[in-house]
């Protein structure tokens, strides 16, 4: 698909260079026009250029600049006409015939990403729960946001590595292994039936805090584990496996694909990282600790503790180095809560200081997010004050979505299999969409009632809208073969204002994806899908796709170009859902 905004920027960029060849890095601003009566897009460069020239001692009227740009617009396939308005806005009217061709291309070839200049390697670090602890609502945002970012990069053609940097190493494992030895002494030969790992963890933590002998033994277990004693490695693996099985239940529900590469993976690499910083004279001693100060940062990184142990700082440096040098990543994104932004800022600054990467060449970014709040606007917890288990939340979503479907009498028209599919689609789609439709930087209020409401900007509304759009062709007895043949032989007419508005909205999809690629804010896609659904409703209410006999209800006429607009809308919505990780169903 063509990115129309990008193409217009190329056209206006060329016009500006022709008109003002001596102006270095002139501002280029092209945006969709907010008011259709003034055109489809708008070039707003003239005012900013006038300011730039004024700072250089040249006084030029912005309108004159706009006229000169207009005179130098090269021949192109896209622009029907331009008009200058106000102080120097250049309003752009697109050729409807060209947009019609783009829509035909979409219908014949599917929703294809814009061409990629080079296939870059992307590492996304997301989800990242701790072994031996259950996934809770705090992991929900990282898991959903990270997965959606991966889906976007994958659709655009990047080589994506999805990493789960789980907490699978450290002092707590000595405590857990010591408790394992006491509770299941034959664990080396008989697999221990640890049903509730959370309870097992709480028991061991209680003993660690209250029994001095147990605490000493736990520390000895840590030493044995770190020295790779086979019996202790086996105990560690058993605990990790129980956790993995629990995590996988959540990932299966949410359709998440992720590769586990925990803290243990980077243990050996941490020694080399500390040596590298020491060799370059970047390590200072501070009360027995080894610390690193990065330029511009007030907080140091502790790379070795006073007892000789390593820290999160060391493992995050080792992980970043491995991703840069071994994975050869061009883009590395960390999806964690905003509370960790300072930590990552210092880690990135240290990595740049030692020369691991140049931020102008390699994009290393922390995509932080706010916390999940309850409807009381406080941190989301159970009534007893405990953290909400993620599986409990997902189960509650399933229950409520089934209630909603039955309330709409869907159980009377759908088969048992269709009803179950719709239940899963609505439950997990609504939970994901409620998260992704909010700006990730902000906190958001978790409310099942709001997310399951089929009015407004919710997944419930969009899923029902999508199902209705898909049903139009079925009601007209038009199958995919007929639609395909129509796409090959029928021009998509965009003469009616509502047809034109819908056509333009569909063609903005690549622009939306480019914006998200730049700022990693996925709510932009949710806002776009909602705008597309409401624009489609306007079109469908004003433009008859199917005309029926009022007496018999039989279809007497099909306006095939409008059926093709329905098909194109469904295709774009389906791809949008796919990027958000939402699975629509054909009937709801």
């Amino acid at each position: 698909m063509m990115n129309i905004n990008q193409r217009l920027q190329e056209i206006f960029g060329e016009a500006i260079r022709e008109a003002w060849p001596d102006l270095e890095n002139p501002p280029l601003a092209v945006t969709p026009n907010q008011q259709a009566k003034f055109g489809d897009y708008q070039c707003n460069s003239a005012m900013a250029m006038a300011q730039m020239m004024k700072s250089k001692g040249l006084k030029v009227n912005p309108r004159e600049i706009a006229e000169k740009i207009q005179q130098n617009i090269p021949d192109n396939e896209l622009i029907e006409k331009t008009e200058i308005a106000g102080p120097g806005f250049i309003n752009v009217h697109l050729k409807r015939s060209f947009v019609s061709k783009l829509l035909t291309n979409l219908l014949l070839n599917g929703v294809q990403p814009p061409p990629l200049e080079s296939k870059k390697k992307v590492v996304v670090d997301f989800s990242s729960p701790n072994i031996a602890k259950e996934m809770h609502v705090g992991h929900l945002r990282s898991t959903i946001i990270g997965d959606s970012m991966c889906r976007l990069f994958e659709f655009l053609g990047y080589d994506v590595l999805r990493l789960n940097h789980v907490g699978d190493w450290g002092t707590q494992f000595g405590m857990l292994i010591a408790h394992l030895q006491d509770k299941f002494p034959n664990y080396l030969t008989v697999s221990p039936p640890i049903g509730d790992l959370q309870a097992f963890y709480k028991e061991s933590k209680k003993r660690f805090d209250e029994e001095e002998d147990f605490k000493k033994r736990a520390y000895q277990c840590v030493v044995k584990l770190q020295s790779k004693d086979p019996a202790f490695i086996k105990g560690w693996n058993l605990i990790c496996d129980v956790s993995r099985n629990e995590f996988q239940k959540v990932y299966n529900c949410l359709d998440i694909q992720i590769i586990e590469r925990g803290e243990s993976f980077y243990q050996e690499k941490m020694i080399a990282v500390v040596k590298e910083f020491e060799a370059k004279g970047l390590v200072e001693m501070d009360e027995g600790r080894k610390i690193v100060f990065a330029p511009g940062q007030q907080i140091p990184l502790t790379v070795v503790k006073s007892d000789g142990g390593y820290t999160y700082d060391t493992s995050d440096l080792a992980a970043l180095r491995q991703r840069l040098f071994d994975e050869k990543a061009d883009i590395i994104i960390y999806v964690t809560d905003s509370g960790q932004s300072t930590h990552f800022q210092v880690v990135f600054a240290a990595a740049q200081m030692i020369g691991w990467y140049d931020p102008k060449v390699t994009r290393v970014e922390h995509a932080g997010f706010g916390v999940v709040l309850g409807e009381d606007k406080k941190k989301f917890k159970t009534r007893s004050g405990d953290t909400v288990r993620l599986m409990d939340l997902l189960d509650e979503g399933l229950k409520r979505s089934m209630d909603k479907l039955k309330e709409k009498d869907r159980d009377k028209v759908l088969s048992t299999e269709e009803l179950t599919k719709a239940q899963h689609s609505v439950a997990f789609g609504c939970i994901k969409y409620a998260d992704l439709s909010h700006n990730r930087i902000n906190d958001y209020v978790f409310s099942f009632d709001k997310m399951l409401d089929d009015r407004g900007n919710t997944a419930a509304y969009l899923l029902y809208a999508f199902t209705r759009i898909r049903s139009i062709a079925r009601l007209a007895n038009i199958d995919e073969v007929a639609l395909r043949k129509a796409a090959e032989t029928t021009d998509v007419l965009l003469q009616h204002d509502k047809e034109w508005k819908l056509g333009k909205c569909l063609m903005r999809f690549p622009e939306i994806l480019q914006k998200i690629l730049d700022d990693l804010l996925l709510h932009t896609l949710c806002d776009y899908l909602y705008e597309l659904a409401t624009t489609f409703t306007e079109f469908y209410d004003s433009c008859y796709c199917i005309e029926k006999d009022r007496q018999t209800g039989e279809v007497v006429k099909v306006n095939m170009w409008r059926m093709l607009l329905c098909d194109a809308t469904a295709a774009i919505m389906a791809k949008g859902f796919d990027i958000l990780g939402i699975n629509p169903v054909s009937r709801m």
Side-chain angles (χ1 to χ4, degrees):
M1 290 181 73
M2 176 190 277
N3 184 329
I4 289 176
N5 193 305
Q6 211 167 56
R7 179 72 187 108
L8 287 171
Q9 286 185 42
E10 289 167 9
I11 291 164
F12 277 97
E14 194 178 326
I16 291 166
R17 283 191 298 276
E18 281 293 317
W20 307 94
D22 299 329
L23 198 61
E24 202 174 321
N25 295 322
L28 184 59
V30 178
T31 58
N33 218 321
Q34 297 305 308
Q35 295 187 59
K37 64 181 178 181
F38 295 128
D40 307 311
Y41 283 79
Q42 195 173 70
C43 175
N44 304 327
S45 298
M47 284 72 74
M49 286 171 67
Q51 287 296 321
M52 193 184 217
M53 291 175 188
K54 191 177 178 183
S55 69
K56 295 176 186 291
L58 293 167
K59 195 170 181 184
V60 189
N61 186 307
R63 202 172 170 96
E64 286 176 41
I65 296 172
E67 285 168 0
K68 205 166 176 186
I69 294 170
Q70 186 186 39
Q71 288 159 11
N72 283 277
I73 291 172
D75 289 340
N76 63 85
E77 74 288 17
L78 196 54
I79 299 172
E80 180 73 44
K81 64 174 180 176
T82 57
E83 296 164 338
I84 296 170
F89 301 113
I90 304 174
N91 288 324
V92 179
H93 297 260
L94 300 177
K95 287 180 183 170
R96 297 195 181 198
S97 59
F98 185 72
V99 174
S100 174
K101 281 179 190 168
L102 293 178
L103 285 165
T104 297
N105 184 49
L106 181 157
L107 290 160
L108 293 175
N109 300 308
V111 184
Q112 299 293 330
L116 202 61
E117 285 179 21
S118 60
K119 189 168 185 174
K120 292 182 177 178
K121 175 77 175 275
V122 183
V123 172
V124 183
D125 178 326
F126 69 105
S127 194
S128 308
N130 287 314
I131 294 288
K133 294 182 182 177
E134 284 177 311
M135 288 181 79
H136 56 75
V137 73
H139 298 113
L140 181 68
R141 298 208 76 184
S142 178
T143 305
I144 289 172
I145 295 166
D147 176 60
S148 190
M149 285 180 187
C150 291
R151 287 168 178 270
L152 173 64
F153 281 112
E154 285 158 354
F155 170 64
L156 293 172
Y158 291 83
D159 177 12
V160 180
L161 177 59
R162 301 156 157 260
L163 285 186
N164 199 3
H165 188 85
V166 297
D168 67 348
W169 204 251
T171 310
Q172 76 270 26
F173 282 94
M175 171 182 95
L176 288 160
I177 292 168
H179 190 51
L180 181 73
Q181 289 172 335
D182 292 346
K183 200 161 184 182
F184 305 105
N186 61 345
Y187 77 89
L188 288 171
T189 51
V190 180
S191 189
I194 305 172
D196 187 343
L197 194 57
Q198 187 78 354
F200 187 84
Y201 180 88
K202 283 179 181 174
E203 287 167 16
S204 64
K205 181 76 171 78
K206 188 170 187 292
R207 292 184 68 192
F208 185 82
D209 293 339
E210 295 173 2
E211 300 173 28
E212 198 56 39
D213 285 349
F214 180 80
K215 184 184 258 189
K216 282 180 187 169
R217 198 151 56 83
Y219 281 127
Q220 288 165 1
C221 289
V222 173
V223 174
K224 294 271 192 183
L225 178 63
Q226 289 176 343
S227 63
K228 302 288 191 335
D229 183 302
F232 290 81
I233 289 290
K234 176 154 190 187
W236 171 73
N237 274 324
L238 284 167
I239 293 161
C240 289
D241 285 344
V242 175
S243 260
R244 279 188 200 108
N245 291 337
E246 291 305 307
F247 298 161
Q248 197 56 46
K249 289 175 188 173
V250 171
Y251 296 142
N252 288 345
C253 282
L254 296 174
D255 190 23
I256 306 290
Q257 304 296 320
I258 194 164
I259 293 166
E260 185 185 304
R261 196 178 280 174
E263 288 170 1
S264 60
F265 179 84
Y266 303 101
Q267 290 309 297
E268 302 299 322
K269 302 176 193 310
M270 292 197 287
I271 302 163
V273 162
V274 174
K275 282 183 178 170
E276 190 176 341
F277 273 89
E278 285 178 326
K280 297 205 173 170
L282 299 171
V283 175
E284 297 175 28
M285 294 302 295
D286 178 64
E287 297 179 351
R289 298 183 304 154
K290 291 183 179 180
I291 62 171
V292 172
F293 271 103
Q297 306 300 317
Q298 295 181 331
I299 303 165
L301 293 171
T302 300
V303 292
V304 182
K305 293 188 288 185
S306 55
D307 65 1
Y310 297 119
T311 67
Y312 285 127
D313 295 348
T314 334
S315 72
D316 279 339
L317 282 168
L320 179 53
R321 192 186 192 289
Q322 193 275 338
R323 291 161 189 181
L324 288 164
F325 291 95
D326 297 355
E327 301 299 341
K328 295 181 170 49
D330 302 290
I331 301 170
I332 304 172
I333 295 163
Y334 294 79
V335 187
T336 74
D337 67 271
S338 296
Q340 295 187 50
S341 60
T342 304
H343 165 72
F344 282 113
Q345 192 178 310
V346 182
V347 169
F348 300 162
Q352 289 168 47
M353 173 180 72
I354 201 168
W356 288 351
Y357 77 97
D358 177 355
K360 293 191 185 89
V361 178
T362 308
R363 180 180 179 183
V364 180
E365 193 169 335
H366 174 232
F369 52 81
V371 298
V372 182
L373 304 175
E375 294 191 70
D376 57 0
K377 305 287 172 68
K378 292 177 182 173
K379 216 166 182 182
F380 193 33
K381 292 187 180 292
T382 62
R383 284 181 184 172
S384 61
D386 294 331
T387 306
V388 179
R389 290 175 69 246
L390 207 40
M391 271 317 297
D392 290 346
L393 193 78
L394 298 176
D395 287 342
E396 179 69 13
L398 285 171
K399 179 187 169 298
R400 293 209 188 201
S401 69
M402 181 58 83
D403 291 346
K404 189 78 177 177
L405 288 162
K406 286 180 176 176
E407 188 186 299
K408 289 175 153 292
D409 292 332
R410 304 316 294 158
D411 54 322
K412 291 171 184 164
V413 293
L414 299 177
S415 67
T416 306
E417 188 185 346
E418 285 173 332
L419 188 64
T420 304
K421 278 185 180 174
Q423 177 195 20
H424 283 77
S425 177
V426 171
F428 303 141
C430 286
I431 288 170
K432 288 183 179 186
Y433 193 87
D435 191 315
L436 296 168
S437 61
H438 289 84
N439 186 325
R440 66 170 162 78
I441 295 163
N442 303 330
D443 298 345
Y444 92 96
V445 175
F446 189 98
S447 164
F448 274 121
D449 289 339
K450 282 183 184 171
M451 65 179 69
L452 289 165
D453 193 340
D454 54 12
R455 297 159 299 178
N457 189 5
T458 66
Y461 167 74
L462 289 173
L463 286 164
Y464 285 120
F466 177 77
T467 307
R468 278 198 307 274
I469 295 165
R470 291 289 297 269
S471 71
I472 294 166
R474 191 168 61 243
L475 292 170
N477 294 318
I478 298 169
D479 60 17
E480 285 187 22
V481 176
L483 279 169
R484 174 80 189 180
K485 192 172 180 186
E488 291 168 354
T489 57
T490 307
D491 289 335
V492 181
L493 302 179
L494 301 169
Q495 291 164 349
H496 193 286
D497 284 350
K498 300 301 181 187
E499 291 171 343
W500 179 229
K501 186 178 179 182
L502 179 59
K504 283 190 297 177
C505 189
L506 289 164
M507 286 297 102
R508 276 185 33 237
F509 186 57
E511 297 169 26
I512 298 298
L513 299 189
Q514 183 58 51
K515 184 179 184 306
I516 302 165
L517 197 62
D518 295 338
D519 61 23
L520 302 176
L521 296 172
L522 289 148
H523 69 276
T524 307
L525 177 55
C526 299
D527 291 344
Y528 168 77
L529 290 174
Y530 180 60
E531 182 192 342
L532 180 58
T534 53
T535 303
F536 178 84
T537 301
E538 285 179 30
F539 152 78
Y540 194 66
D541 288 346
S542 303
C543 304
Y544 291 120
C545 298
I546 308 161
E547 294 178 38
K548 293 181 179 180
D549 185 288
R550 289 193 177 181
Q551 264 70 44
T552 64
E554 284 183 36
V555 174
V556 292
K557 186 181 178 186
V558 174
N559 294 319
M560 194 53 90
W561 78 93
R562 288 176 178 165
M563 295 301 299
L564 292 174
L565 275 169
C566 297
D567 198 33
T569 304
I572 293 284
M573 284 186 80
K575 182 48 69 180
F577 284 147
D578 187 49
I579 291 168
L580 296 174
I582 294 170
N583 182 27
V585 288
S586 55
R587 294 189 70 200
M588 267 178 66

